[in-house]
Amino acid sequence: CALPISVLLVGDSAAEVVLGHPRTIHAPLDFLIQLTAAVKRGAPNTFVMGDMPFLSYHGTVEEAVLNAGRFLTEGTADAVKLEADASFAPVFEAMSRAGIPAVGHVGCRPQHMHRDGGARVVGRTDPSVRRVVDDAIALAEAGAVMILIEASTPEAMLLISLCFGLGRASRRLAVYTELISSGIFAPGGRDAPAGRDGLRGEGEQPSNEDRALCTSSGNDGEGGGVAGLSRLPRHLGLVASLAQDHA
């Protein structure tokens, strides 16, 4: 079947699914650069994003820019992705000045699992929603060309969309190894599912079931599922506050 793929992200999860490591933080910089280059050679007409690994951009701003530049020159990437919060704004500003397209990854950040005690959904309380939205806005204002939101609630994603004036999110991320194991690419394989492992077509909106996937794991004090949509009204007061703060 034909899968409409907008972006190929060469993620640091390759440390787990390719190299057999227990965590993404074990991904070597040189390995990811070469893996990104290999993907770009195989898909030269597709937008390829390289994932900057743990400690490749956490030191000085200068080191971060040089490492990101390697993804473009050696890895032939079209952009780099950084798991970041608002404190990384100076890094995004420097990359923007250098002409490096940088993508901000907010919400759940797997590189912080050791600190956070594992993966968890982010954005189930007002302060948590606000942090995610503030991070996204700060990185965008610092020059991020795209914002990737991982494992956050429908409320947080909708508020970010409202702040950016983008409407609903229309893209989901699927992991290549999960697609392979699902049999999609096998001869006569079934069509790509519209749920967690699927890639949606141009302009197609995620269903309520899709949005529920964002609250299907993790626990920071409230239940997940589609019921999260019913909690949206209590967050609406954040919209005016955020608009005032970032006007």
Side-chain angles (χ1 to χ4, degrees), residues 121 151-152 172 194-197 208-217 225:
V121 174
S152 193
R172 293 186 64 83
R196 183 169 193 159
D197 299 330
N208 283 346
E209 180 182 1
D210 289 337
R211 294 182 183 279
L213 292 171
C214 294
T215 58
S216 63
S217 62

Side-chain angles (χ1 to χ4, degrees), residues 122-226:
V122 180
R124 286 187 176 146
T125 63
D126 283 358
S128 183
V129 170
R130 173 129 199 168
R131 282 194 298 272
V132 175
V133 175
D134 282 344
D135 289 340
I137 292 175
L139 298 181
E141 291 178 344
V145 299
M146 191 185 307
I147 299 294
L148 184 152
I149 311 167
E150 178 171 349
S152 193
T153 57
E155 297 97 323
M157 291 189 291
L158 180 57
L159 285 170
I160 290 173
S161 296
L162 289 172
C163 288
F164 283 105
L166 300 178
R168 294 184 177 182
S170 60
R171 290 292 179 267
R172 293 186 64 83
L173 184 145
V175 180
Y176 171 74
T177 49
E178 292 179 0
L179 291 175
I180 291 295
S181 64
S182 72
I184 291 174
F185 294 127
R190 59 187 176 84
D191 290 339
R196 183 169 193 159
D197 299 330
L199 292 170
R200 297 188 162 273
E202 180 67 26
E204 189 173 352
Q205 303 297 337
S207 64
N208 283 346
E209 180 182 1
D210 289 337
R211 294 182 183 279
L213 292 171
C214 294
T215 58
S216 63
S217 62
N219 182 11
D220 60 359
E222 297 182 22
V226 181

